Amino acid sequence: MTTETISVNLPNQIPLTHNVDVLVAGGGPGGIGAAIGAARKGVKVLLVEHYGFLGGMATAGEVNPFMNNHHEGKPLDTGIFTEWLNRIKSYNPDGFDRIFDPHCARLAAEDLCLEAGVEILYHHRVAHVERKGSRIDHVVLHSKSGLTAVKANIIVDSTGDGDVAFLAGAPFEMGGENTPYVQPMTLCFKLKLNLSETNLNYKSAGEAFKKEYDLIQEVYQKAKVNGETDNPRENVLMFTAVNKDVLHFNTTRVIKKSSVNGIQLSEAELEARKQMREIITILRRDVPCFEKATLYSVAPQIGIRESRRILGSAYVTREDYTKGKAFPDAIARVTYPIDIHSPNGTGTEITHLPKGAWYEIPYGCIVVKGLDNLLIGSRCISVDHAVHSSMRVMPPVCSIGQAAGTAAAIAHQQNIKTSEIDGIKLNAELKSIGRNLTEYDPTREWETMEPGDWKTIGKKEKALGKFMSS
Ligand SMILES: Cc1cc2nc3c(=O)[nH]c(=O)nc-3n(C[C@H](O)[C@H](O)[C@H](O)COP(=O)(O)OP(=O)(O)OC[C@H]3O[C@@H](n4cnc5c(N)ncnc54)[C@H](O)[C@@H]3O)c2cc1C
């Protein structure tokens, strides 16, 4: 690697392949919600995706399961997320509720987009943004065709990393609390246990995982002490999978690398795959239920939890989370805990809301500062590091995307700036199309709710890793 620079002569005329009402960049959970949300309002929507399939981290990152974002046992992400979940189940009726098959997730997302009238453009990546004053005039894409352009009246950035906003010069934050680093990246993979080839009497990988859980953690700790793995993670994080003989691992941990630095992202893939090889060797060697295990799948790319957080006209903080703050222009309601995998190495903070509490994301968190025709429909919204760690899970991100798509269509149809949309009316419209948002009550505070569940996970529990983390 060098630090030199070199001049280039890029073409000054490139094909303008599309002229649409709304461009959604990125087809992850946020982009799926945004594209469908906009198209259902009758506007012309183009969804541009880097891969040849939809789903983002749900498919390309093979993250699993869809975390619960529930209130009193009921899902808060009624709307496009629930439709996606139900369509996934229709492809795999034997699947568990929120544990899903990533291949079915690809098909289900594509079905819903096509049915809504979304035009999908795969294998294209946003490479450049042409800005005129406070508006994005057109977006330049890179594909096997070289450079091409798309014009759109309103753009929704659903790239996860806020690529469009960044290229347009939007302000952003990046980093954790008292650290310049964001949450670590994790390459997810799955192992097939082939239990029928062993002498063990486990009926499923889930049963084996429960019975041998302590041994798995013990051998991992020993391997760390013996220098057999460089993984800074405190434990082995595993989940059951759709296939009953398979376990899903969310346990590699690459710290202090940036997903928005191309070279560091490449290094992260290499480091994560090294950690994956190490853990497979350790488990096969030292844990009976893994003796015959084979590699079932490795995610197409390393999972990215956090990068840029694009600043908007509103900003939600850890303090707001702690107070369970509600907003009259709420676009999403969240109960999922603060879930911070240490940006610097070992440890995970899980901080739950009190029983019965929730907090909300207001419309302003997706209205990008200084740009009149750009919204964020993705994890990279205007919140601090702690709140990001909570709202980033797939169900609320899909809901935020749905709100962004709905707002983009409104801005186009009314010929107004995204900042001119009445957030209270948007909230009402989202409720009218089935989103589980409640009436705004400014007197509502979490202290008035049933106390008792307020906790930061205890040291012992943390060491054992017996909690859900994403
Ligand atoms: C390791 C890991 C484990 C997780 N575990 C869970 C879990 O168990 N449950 C849960 O609910 N959530 C989990 N999450 C969180 C969740 O997966 C993400 O926060 C969520 O997917 C974010 O959705 P998104 O649409 O904002 O971005 P993404 O899912 O990242 O999707 C972005 C999409 O945009 C595309 N894209 C990016 N840049 C460009 C570009 N320049 N041009 C065109 N396309 C582009 C990408 O290819 C991708 O398809 C996990 C995340 C990670 C990393």
Side-chain angles (χ1 to χ4, degrees):
M1 190 186 133
T2 79
T3 51
E4 293 167 39
T5 59
I6 196 163
S7 59
V8 286
N9 280 316
L10 293 172
N12 63 6
Q13 285 291 313
I14 58 173
L16 176 67
T17 59
H18 293 77
N19 193 342
V20 293
D21 303 334
V22 173
L23 167 66
V24 177
I32 294 163
I36 298 169
R40 285 190 182 159
K41 282 189 66 73
V43 299
K44 196 172 163 193
V45 180
L46 179 71
L47 173 57
V48 170
E49 167 53 44
H50 158 67
Y51 285 108
F53 52 86
L54 300 178
M57 285 299 127
T59 56
E62 280 204 21
V63 311
N64 222 320
F66 290 119
M67 282 294 166
N68 275 353
N69 184 41
H70 284 46
H71 182 250
E72 292 174 348
K74 295 205 179 87
L76 292 178
D77 301 292
T78 50
I80 292 167
F81 172 73
T82 303
E83 290 179 48
W84 187 24
L85 188 62
N86 290 339
R87 188 61 69 95
I88 294 170
K89 281 188 211 156
S90 77
Y91 276 104
N92 190 346
D94 298 334
F96 303 98
D97 187 33
R98 296 169 85 84
I99 299 173
F100 61 94
D101 180 317
H103 300 97
C104 300
R106 295 179 185 193
L107 295 177
E110 193 175 85
D111 283 347
L112 294 176
C113 284
L114 294 176
E115 284 163 18
V118 173
E119 183 178 356
I120 301 175
L121 186 60
Y122 286 131
H123 296 300
H124 281 68
R125 193 179 180 116
V126 174
H128 178 69
V129 167
E130 285 286 328
R131 183 174 163 163
K132 279 192 185 155
S134 56
R135 282 182 61 82
I136 292 176
D137 186 69
H138 56 277
V139 172
V140 177
L141 307 177
H142 181 253
S143 72
K144 286 286 183 182
S145 311
L147 298 179
T148 54
V150 173
K151 251 181 174 301
N153 190 22
I154 309 290
I155 295 123
V156 180
D157 184 341
S158 295
T159 61
D161 291 325
D163 286 359
V164 179
F166 169 74
L167 291 166
F172 67 93
E173 285 182 350
M174 201 163 154
E177 292 167 336
N178 308 315
T179 169
Y181 301 111
V182 293
Q183 290 212 49
M185 290 183 253
T186 293
L187 177 71
C188 292
F189 63 92
K190 292 186 176 66
L191 292 181
K192 187 163 191 282
L193 270 53
N194 300 310
L195 290 166
S196 60
E197 294 174 27
T198 69
N199 296 326
L200 305 164
N201 284 325
Y202 298 130
K203 287 189 196 68
S204 67
E207 189 190 348
F209 149 51
K210 271 190 206 134
K211 296 256 170 68
E212 300 196 1
Y213 184 88
D214 289 342
L215 179 62
I216 293 166
Q217 303 306 337
E218 197 184 305
V219 302
Y220 175 66
Q221 297 307 337
K222 272 194 196 143
K224 275 168 73 89
V225 172
N226 294 341
E228 291 178 79
T229 177
D230 295 331
N231 188 339
R233 217 196 126 78
E234 59 276 18
N235 58 12
V236 181
L237 182 61
M238 297 163 291
F239 297 84
T240 49
V242 170
N243 182 321
K244 289 196 169 56
D245 203 16
V246 169
L247 285 180
H248 171 78
F249 289 78
N250 176 348
T251 207
T252 59
R253 175 171 288 188
V254 179
I255 54 168
K256 301 183 181 176
K257 292 213 186 286
S258 165
S259 66
V260 292
N261 175 311
I263 289 178
Q264 289 186 22
L265 183 57
S266 172
E267 289 169 350
E269 295 280 7
L270 291 165
E271 191 174 325
R273 278 200 274 275
K274 177 175 172 292
Q275 290 179 9
M276 184 189 75
R277 290 184 187 96
E278 290 164 353
I279 185 78
I280 294 173
T281 303
I282 295 160
L283 293 176
R284 274 192 190 138
R285 187 191 63 202
D286 296 339
V287 182
C289 70
F290 288 105
E291 197 190 332
K292 300 285 178 193
T294 47
L295 195 53
Y296 183 78
S297 70
V298 184
Q301 76 150 81
I302 194 165
I304 298 163
R305 288 192 177 81
E306 186 185 12
S307 54
R308 305 180 187 108
R309 301 187 302 273
I310 308 298
L311 295 176
S313 58
Y315 186 76
V316 178
T317 63
R318 183 189 273 267
E319 198 191 337
D320 297 327
Y321 169 93
T322 307
K323 289 183 175 156
K325 195 158 177 184
F327 297 89
D329 58 346
I331 56 168
R333 211 150 54 102
V334 188
T335 56
Y336 186 75
I338 288 176
D339 176 0
I340 304 175
H341 300 235
S342 170
N344 292 314
T346 305
T348 304
E349 177 196 343
I350 304 281
T351 301
H352 289 277
L353 284 166
K355 199 171 175 197
W358 71 83
Y359 71 97
E360 290 177 338
I361 302 291
Y363 173 59
C365 286
I366 65 170
V367 179
V368 180
K369 259 190 193 166
L371 280 142
D372 294 340
N373 63 340
L374 179 63
L375 290 165
I376 303 294
S378 199
R379 66 173 152 79
C380 50
I381 62 170
S382 183
V383 293
D384 71 9
H385 173 69
V387 174
H388 179 277
S389 77
S390 157
M391 55 62 59
R392 71 187 166 90
V393 290
M394 296 181 277
V397 167
C398 190
S399 296
I400 289 166
Q402 180 175 6
T406 307
I410 294 171
H412 173 74
Q413 286 164 335
Q414 297 182 8
N415 197 22
I416 56 175
K417 298 175 186 174
T418 51
S419 59
E420 289 169 348
I421 288 176
D422 182 336
I424 296 174
K425 282 192 185 150
L426 175 65
N427 167 285
E429 178 161 345
L430 292 171
K431 280 189 272 207
S432 77
I433 54 174
R435 288 291 322 288
N436 186 354
L437 295 161
T438 53
E439 290 311 310
Y440 175 59
D441 172 8
T443 62
R444 175 194 156 272
E445 284 192 0
W446 72 262
E447 283 96 336
T448 63
M449 297 179 188
E450 188 185 333
D453 202 24
W454 178 264
K455 62 169 186 179
T456 298
I457 203 146
K459 271 197 186 133
K460 193 173 163 215
E461 204 179 355
K462 200 187 262 180
L464 286 171
K466 285 184 176 165
F467 54 86
M468 292 284 265
S469 176
S470 59

